[in-house]
Amino acid sequence: MLKLFYAPNTIALASLIALEEVGADYEPIRLDFQSTEQQGASYLKINPKGRVPALVTERGILTETPAILAWIAQSWPDSGLAPVQDLFAFAEVQSVCAYLCSTAHVAHAHKMRGHRWTDDDSAKQAMTSYVPRSMAAAFQYLEDEVFQGPWVMGEAFTIADPYLFTIARWLEGDGVDPEMFPKIHDHRTRMEERKSVQTALATQLQT
């Protein structure tokens, strides 16, 4: 059985949703970030980076959300979570996921993870104060240039949808009004109506 290590209110929610979408048989394993369980010796054997998500499969352990989402889509090709038979279309989906990973998520991380880039307290404070601008800029690009509607890539629901949804849920906490982006805001509302999302959100609340 698959095992997904996650923590509440993290990017791992996207992988939880994708696993629910395909009906995977998996065990969700919650880590307590408040007690720094992700830095414990037992978890570091699974993911030396000390981060989530980590997906334990029969062939080994996968980390990093874009890789996990792509693996899920390819492992359940009939789910339609990605156009895995169309190399270019699949690359387009991966391009969106890569942007969410490398730009939007990183912009968010500057709010509380400044220690990854500097030891200078004033620099950390500057990064934190800039988060509303950097997140708004990232989502303006997603709203204007990426989002096709009704789903991220158009008519088909793909792995890009739970990924965008997960990061969009952080906007308020990052000082950004989500209603600035009407298409993405509507997408977030519709995502919350999906059974897979409701189940994944409920899983996050489990102790």
Side-chain angles (χ1 to χ4, degrees), residues 105-127:
H105 194 172
V106 172
H108 166 77
H110 279 75
K111 182 176 69 174
M112 75 292 283
R113 307 280 188 233
H115 62 272
R116 293 178 180 173
W117 296 280
T118 183
D119 292 326
D120 186 314
D121 288 339
S122 62
K124 293 177 187 177
Q125 184 176 357
M127 282 190 280

Side-chain angles (χ1 to χ4, degrees), residues 12-53:
L13 175 62
S15 296
L16 282 169
I17 295 171
L19 288 169
E20 290 294 334
E21 281 283 339
V22 301
D25 184 15
Y26 75 101
E27 178 185 359
I29 302 176
R30 174 174 170 159
L31 297 178
D32 184 357
F33 274 23
Q34 291 188 343
S35 64
T36 64
E37 189 177 2
Q38 75 276 20
Q39 297 296 332
S42 59
Y43 184 65
L44 290 178
K45 291 179 181 178
I46 296 168
N47 184 1
K49 289 174 280 192
R51 302 180 188 179
V52 293

Side-chain angles (χ1 to χ4, degrees), residues 8-207:
N9 303 314
T10 68
I11 200 63
L13 175 62
S15 296
L16 282 169
I17 295 171
L19 288 169
E20 290 294 334
E21 281 283 339
V22 301
D25 184 15
Y26 75 101
E27 178 185 359
I29 302 176
R30 174 174 170 159
L31 297 178
D32 184 357
F33 274 23
Q34 291 188 343
S35 64
T36 64
E37 189 177 2
Q38 75 276 20
Q39 297 296 332
S42 59
Y43 184 65
L44 290 178
K45 291 179 181 178
I46 296 168
N47 184 1
K49 289 174 280 192
R51 302 180 188 179
V52 293
L55 181 67
V56 180
T57 77
E58 292 182 355
R59 292 192 57 183
I61 298 169
L62 291 172
T63 62
E64 303 300 333
T65 297
I68 292 173
L69 292 177
W71 182 86
I72 294 171
Q74 291 172 306
S75 298
W76 283 268
D78 292 341
S79 69
L81 279 184
V84 295
Q85 303 302 323
D86 185 330
L87 295 181
F88 185 81
F90 190 23
E92 287 184 309
V93 175
Q94 291 174 303
S95 177
V96 174
C97 290
Y99 180 81
L100 291 168
C101 177
S102 66
T103 302
H105 194 172
V106 172
H108 166 77
H110 279 75
K111 182 176 69 174
M112 75 292 283
R113 307 280 188 233
H115 62 272
R116 293 178 180 173
W117 296 280
T118 183
D119 292 326
D120 186 314
D121 288 339
S122 62
K124 293 177 187 177
Q125 184 176 357
M127 282 190 280
T128 298
S129 64
Y130 199 76
V131 166
R133 292 176 61 183
S134 57
M135 282 293 281
F139 270 80
Q140 196 64 63
Y141 168 76
L142 290 163
E143 175 85 5
D144 295 341
E145 305 295 338
V146 174
F147 195 92
Q148 297 183 33
W151 304 109
V152 175
M153 305 305 300
E155 294 297 326
F157 182 96
T158 69
I159 52 176
D161 290 290
Y163 208 165
L164 175 64
F165 169 75
T166 298
I167 298 180
R169 296 180 75 241
W170 301 338
L171 286 172
E172 290 95 332
D174 288 342
V176 181
D177 181 359
E179 294 189 6
M180 292 171 56
F181 318 105
K183 292 186 290 186
I184 294 176
H185 187 54
D186 173 69
H187 173 264
R188 179 171 153 183
T189 300
R190 288 184 290 107
M191 284 289 293
E192 291 171 346
E193 296 172 353
R194 292 180 77 90
K195 182 179 179 180
S196 62
V197 175
Q198 294 171 359
T199 301
L201 288 173
T203 297
Q204 283 199 133
L205 299 177
Q206 296 176 0
T207 58

